[in-house]
Amino acid sequence: MHPHVGESDWEEGLEQAASFLKAASRVAVLTGAGISAESGLATFRGQGGLWEGQRVEDVATPRAFARDPRQVWRFYNLRRANLAEVQPNAGHRALVDLEQRFGDDFALITQNVDGLHQAAGSVNVLEIHGSIRRVRCTECPYIVERGVEALPDLPHCEKCNSLLRPDVVWFEEMLPATIWSRAELAVVRCQCLLVVGTSAMVYPAAGLIATAHEHKARVIEVNLQATPATQGVDVSLLGPSGTVLPELVRRVATAPPL
Ligand SMILES: [Zn+2]
């Protein structure tokens, strides 16, 4: 039995969500910080999080980087070091199974910058906020995967010696256009959008959910607690994604044809 709802509601919600996924020929998933928090990863973005007494919004901006790049790199190097200690969880792994079921008709859109979906084995991952495992040059097109290895306090480009920056989308920056277009297209084309671990209230999550509704896709939410989106979704499954997703995906695999 699930803590938030009666057993029959819970059962019914899971079955309904499984039937939506089973009936879809294309599926899109949108994940946020919640799924990684269950791996023990500290999450900051969009939660009013503080780092060393500073608002994260004041560390993760182009202005902060221009003012004090060493400080910004210290923040990201700490986050990279934290990442070396965490593993993908059962929720990440369930989404790998779901991708294997739908193959090319599956897109995983993530707001997370930790690379845990790929670490779990997901292949088609659209990182709309970038990745802290990659760095790029502030002056030339150089961009490279650096994993979670320790970087210098102030890393410089191997090609042109300019300052490197994390390949993430900071506050006040645009989303990467190509990745974002692919994410929108995936949602336009899907019959079922699964939203996991994000409050779904703010852009871009809210925009993708609205797009799914416009195109008559079913929307399933998996969150620890009800969100402002809960009223609008077709099914809301409240609980840890590491518990809910494996159970949901198991039912998709075994659900009888509609
Ligand atoms: Zn360069």
Side-chain angles (χ1 to χ4, degrees):
M1 171 165 168
H2 194 269
H4 295 285
V5 291
E7 191 166 7
S8 60
D9 289 351
W10 174 242
E11 185 64 26
E12 199 178 309
L14 267 174
E15 279 302 317
Q16 194 171 38
S19 73
F20 290 153
L21 283 166
K22 181 86 174 172
S25 51
R26 290 176 189 274
V27 168
V29 181
L30 170 66
T31 65
I35 192 168
S36 293
E38 288 176 35
S39 283
L41 198 64
T43 57
F44 298 101
R45 188 168 175 129
Q47 304 192 348
L50 292 179
W51 176 68
E52 296 191 346
Q54 296 181 88
R55 294 193 318 148
V56 169
E57 289 86 335
D58 295 333
V59 182
T61 67
R63 276 180 298 123
F65 192 67
R67 189 174 59 231
D68 191 351
R70 202 176 290 272
Q71 166 83 339
V72 173
W73 263 114
R74 208 157 64 80
F75 173 65
Y76 282 97
N77 276 333
L78 274 175
R79 293 187 65 183
R80 293 159 56 84
N82 289 342
L83 208 47
E85 323 246 300
V86 302
Q87 299 296 328
N89 62 57
H92 293 104
R93 289 192 294 274
L95 294 178
V96 178
D97 295 342
L98 204 58
E99 179 172 29
Q100 281 165 0
R101 179 178 179 88
F102 286 94
D104 292 341
D105 297 320
F106 180 90
L108 175 48
I109 304 157
T110 188
Q111 299 172 264
N112 299 337
V113 296
D114 52 45
L116 288 179
H117 286 302
Q118 292 93 328
S122 289
V123 179
N124 185 12
V125 184
L126 299 172
E127 295 175 312
I128 58 176
H129 287 163
S131 171
I132 59 173
R133 296 176 191 254
R134 277 191 310 272
V135 297
R136 64 179 157 95
C137 183
T138 52
E139 295 295 334
C140 82
Y142 182 73
I143 177 166
V144 67
E145 191 83 28
R146 297 297 292 269
V148 294
E149 67 181 286
L151 293 172
D153 292 351
L154 216 47
H156 285 82
C157 178
E158 289 168 31
K159 304 283 180 201
C160 74
N161 207 37
S162 300
L163 200 52
L164 291 173
R165 59 166 283 178
D167 187 29
V168 297
V169 177
W170 282 327
F171 292 94
E172 304 165 11
E173 287 187 318
M174 303 285 290
L175 301 181
T178 307
I179 300 288
W180 176 247
S181 307
R182 287 170 62 195
E184 279 194 308
L185 185 62
V187 172
V188 165
R189 295 174 77 189
C190 78
Q191 291 82 42
C192 187
L193 172 66
L194 179 60
V195 179
V196 182
T198 173
S199 70
M201 186 169 92
V202 289
Y203 182 85
L208 291 176
I209 292 172
T211 300
H213 284 314
E214 271 167 43
H215 292 269
K216 309 279 182 266
R218 299 291 192 176
V219 180
I220 303 165
E221 172 198 38
V222 177
N223 270 313
L224 269 182
Q225 291 161 351
T227 70
T230 302
Q231 293 304 317
V233 302
D234 294 286
V235 185
S236 180
L237 301 171
L238 301 183
S241 51
T243 307
V244 176
L245 288 179
E247 180 59 27
L248 176 58
V249 172
R250 188 183 67 76
R251 286 172 192 235
V252 174
T254 56
L258 293 176

